[in-house]
């Protein structure tokens, strides 16, 4: 197969949802269809158990296990599908944000009873920043839930994206009878059975009396009415609009009952994008270029003290990646060879000899890599830094063992390279502030500093609302702002200016008082 053909058949995506909407169940059913696993429950057992949510050690252990499911690749027909797993626990949301920079599209799972929830809204913001194409799967139709039209309205207003249903449910909950597949013009009847795939009724058109026979006259009439309304309200599905990230096709089904999942997958492989050109700082890079390039989007530390190595996950952006070939690590300007790169096919971690754009390879790492690093065949390229988002919790980190100041610095530095949290240095008092998305990270950092670096830290409270990256075209305005807010000015790890706002009110006032300053809530602007 040529490089172009390999690229064209790849579909690299992530499934995202608010916890409990059904992401794990859907992932597992997709893997079943892809023949990557043979029994339901295989992925589930890797999932972070809900009972353990306050016990972060347990979570880390389970996250360790889930390295195996970090990337799940399988062949489906002519396609090579790569599913990138995202941690369900919201304290690890930053991991998810970064994973989203390595995918070409996304499937969002929404619970029909709960609609759009907080975590979904946030993740969608990240997709919007990159115009990532999105498909929505409305799940749990076998349970009582909301009116599907309401759900569509909510998706549009909460996710700020136009929607286009490509399937439509016939009733819901106890009376759920199936879905009409608008994309393929067929009718799939629901049988509440976890093992059986839906039964398809062949129909010629919407007027076909076989619909009435299958679901009863009343529901058939309602279906026709609904579909007429849909055609009136929503423009025809346009693949280009989906690919540009402005329209999200919507499917309905029940992941647990394997209902509507195959239809979703069949449509997904047809319409979802294969790897596309990516902007590096220097130029746009096409996937079918001969030269290899890729970037590190995730580093997974091994919590097992006997095997301290990490795995760096590299997304291949162009060319063919070959085992044992020397590649240039741009940040250190060193040539590195990888003897044991791994890929994940059918749940097994295998050493790979070659990989193509859209694929993810895991590289055992002993501290060479930092999140965002670029690797190439030789060309000087920098893939644009992955965005950092303003953390939601902040604490001063203090050294609790004066003899171990060096170890502490080194440990903090490396944990930040791994992307565990963000470090800001207050320019006024020189104190270091760690920002995270959840309380768990503070515990993880403290534990790892002690066990991996022999350093002790202490947390001290600091009351902050947000960290905003600031910039201005007017150097005088910038200087004036920094002078006025000097107590609240910090730098991030790259030395960029960050304003630490201690309340929404203060931030609002700063924005009003300094119109020439631009405030950003993510580091990519
Ligand atoms: P998540 O990864 O998004 O957190 O969700 P997950 O797949 O774990 O699903 C959350 C719960 O919802 C699970 O139940 C799962 O069985 C259930 N579920 C998923 N899809 C459907 C569906 O289509 N219909 C119904 N009725 N339920 C669904 P649980 O009781 O929390 O876990 P378990 O004990 O069943 O494993």
């Amino acid at each position: 197969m040529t490089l172009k053909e390999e690229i064209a058949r790849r579909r690299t995506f992530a499934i995202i949802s608010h916890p409990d909407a059904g992401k794990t169940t859907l992932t597992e059913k997709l893997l079943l269809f892809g023949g990557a696993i043979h029994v339901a429950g295989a992925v589930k057992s890797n999932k972070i158990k809900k009972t353990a949510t306050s016990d972060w050690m347990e979570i880390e252990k389970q996250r360790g296990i889930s390295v195996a499911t970090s990337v799940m690749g399988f062949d489906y027909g002519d396609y090579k599908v790569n599913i990138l797993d995202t941690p369900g626990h919201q304290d690890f949301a930053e991991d998810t944000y970064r994973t989203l920079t390595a995918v070409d599209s996304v499937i969002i799972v929404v619970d029909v009873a709960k609609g759009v929830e907080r975590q979904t809204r946030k993740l969608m913001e990240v997709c919007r920043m990159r115009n990532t194409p999105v498909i929505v799967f409305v799940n749990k139709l076998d349970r009582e839930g909301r009116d599907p039209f309401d759900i569509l309205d909510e998706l549009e207003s909460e996710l700020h994206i136009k929607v286009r249903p490509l399937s439509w449910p016939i009733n819901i909950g106890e009376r759920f009878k199936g879905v009409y597949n608008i994309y393929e013009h067929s009718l799939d009847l629901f049988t509440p059975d976890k093992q059986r795939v839906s039964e398809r009724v062949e129909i010629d058109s919407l007027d076909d009396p076989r619909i009435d026979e299958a679901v009863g006259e009343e529901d058939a009439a309602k279906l026709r009415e609904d579909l007429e309304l849909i055609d009136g309200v929503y423009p025809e599905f346009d693949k280009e609009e989906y690919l540009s990230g402005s329209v999200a096709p919507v499917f309905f089904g029940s992941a647990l009952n394997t209902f509507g999942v195959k239809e979703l997958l069949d449509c997904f492989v047809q319409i979802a994008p294969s790897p596309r050109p990516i902007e590096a700082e220097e130029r746009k890079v096409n996937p079918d270029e001969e030269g290899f390039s890729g970037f590190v989007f995730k580093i997974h530390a091994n919590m097992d003290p006997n095997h301290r190595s990490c795995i760096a996950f590299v997304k291949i952006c162009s060319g063919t990646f070959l085992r044992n070939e020397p590649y240039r690590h741009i940040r250190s300007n060193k040539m590195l060879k990888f003897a044991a790169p791994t890929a994940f096919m059918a749940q097994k971690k295998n050493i790979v000899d070659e990989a193509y754009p859209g694929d993810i390879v895991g590289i055992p790492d002993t501290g060479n890599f930092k999140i965002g690093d670029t690797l190439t065949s030789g060309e000087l390229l920098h893939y644009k830094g992955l965005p950092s988002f303003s953390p939601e919790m902040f604490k001063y980190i203090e050294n609790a063992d004066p003899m171990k100041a060096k170890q502490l610095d080194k440990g903090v530095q490396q944990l930040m390279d791994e992307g565990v949290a963000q470090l800001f240095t207050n320019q006024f008092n020189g104190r270091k502030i760690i920002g995270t998305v959840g309380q768990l990270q503070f515990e993880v950092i403290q534990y790892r500093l002690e066990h991996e670096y022999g350093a002790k830290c202490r947390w001290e409270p600091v009351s902050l609302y947000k960290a905003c990256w600031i910039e201005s075209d007017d150097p005088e305005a910038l200087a004036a702002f920094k002078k006025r807010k000097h107590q609240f000015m910090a730098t991030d790890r790259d030395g960029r200016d960050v304003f630490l706002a201690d309340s929404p009110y203060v931030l609002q006032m700063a924005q009003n008082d300094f119109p020439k300053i631009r405030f950003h809530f993510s580091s990519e602007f």
Side-chain angles (χ1 to χ4, degrees), residues 3 6-13 71-75 79-84 102-104 274-276 278 287 292-297 312-322 342-345 352-362:
L3 176 61
E6 288 286 5
I7 295 166
R9 75 187 196 96
R10 274 167 170 73
R11 300 287 180 271
T12 301
F13 75 107
V71 184
M72 292 160 280
F74 60 86
D75 286 309
Y79 298 97
K80 162 87 192 286
V81 179
N82 291 317
I83 307 181
L84 272 58
V103 298
D104 298 305
S274 54
R276 297 192 280 183
I278 304 185
F292 156 77
S293 67
F295 65 89
V296 178
F297 68 94
F313 289 85
V314 178
K315 152 99 186 227
I316 296 170
C317 303
S318 71
T320 307
F321 170 90
L322 297 171
T342 50
F344 305 84
M345 272 302 272
V352 285
D353 290 319
E354 52 185 36
Y356 302 95
D359 287 343
I360 311 295
V361 290

Side-chain angles (χ1 to χ4, degrees), residues 168-171 177 180 187 206-228:
W168 195 251
I170 301 161
N171 264 318
K177 292 195 178 148
Y180 180 80
L187 182 65
L206 254 189
D207 299 327
D208 199 319
R210 274 175 285 190
I211 301 180
D212 302 67
E213 276 166 36
V215 302
E217 272 175 33
E218 197 183 321
D219 283 332
K222 173 83 167 56
L223 173 69
R224 290 185 182 108
E225 203 179 294
D226 284 355
L227 291 175
E228 201 174 313

Side-chain angles (χ1 to χ4, degrees), residues 16-27 44 47 50 88 109 111 137 139-143 194 253-259:
I16 56 179
S17 74
H18 191 86
D20 267 357
K23 178 174 77 78
T24 315
T25 313
L26 180 65
T27 306
K44 195 95 192 175
K47 193 182 149 171
K50 285 169 206 136
V109 185
D111 182 328
F137 183 73
N139 190 27
K140 307 198 187 181
L141 266 287
D142 60 314
R143 284 217 198 138
K194 288 169 202 168
S254 165
L256 188 64
N257 293 286
T258 327
F259 187 79

Side-chain angles (χ1 to χ4, degrees), residues 296-311:
V296 178
F297 68 94
K298 168 167 165 165
I299 295 178
H300 202 115
N302 196 337
M303 293 297 288
D304 178 352
N306 300 319
H307 310 90
R308 193 67 90 200
S309 74
C310 302
I311 295 184

Side-chain angles (χ1 to χ4, degrees), residues 149 152 164-165 167-168 182 225-235:
F149 280 110
L152 293 181
R164 176 53 162 116
S167 79
W168 195 251
I182 301 173
E225 203 179 294
D226 284 355
L227 291 175
E228 201 174 313
L229 192 57
I230 289 169
D231 281 341
V233 175
Y234 300 99

Side-chain angles (χ1 to χ4, degrees), residues 56-67:
W56 67 269
M57 248 322 256
E58 198 46 42
I59 290 178
E60 274 300 311
K61 268 195 220 140
Q62 297 195 20
R63 253 157 54 89
I65 299 167
S66 71
V67 169

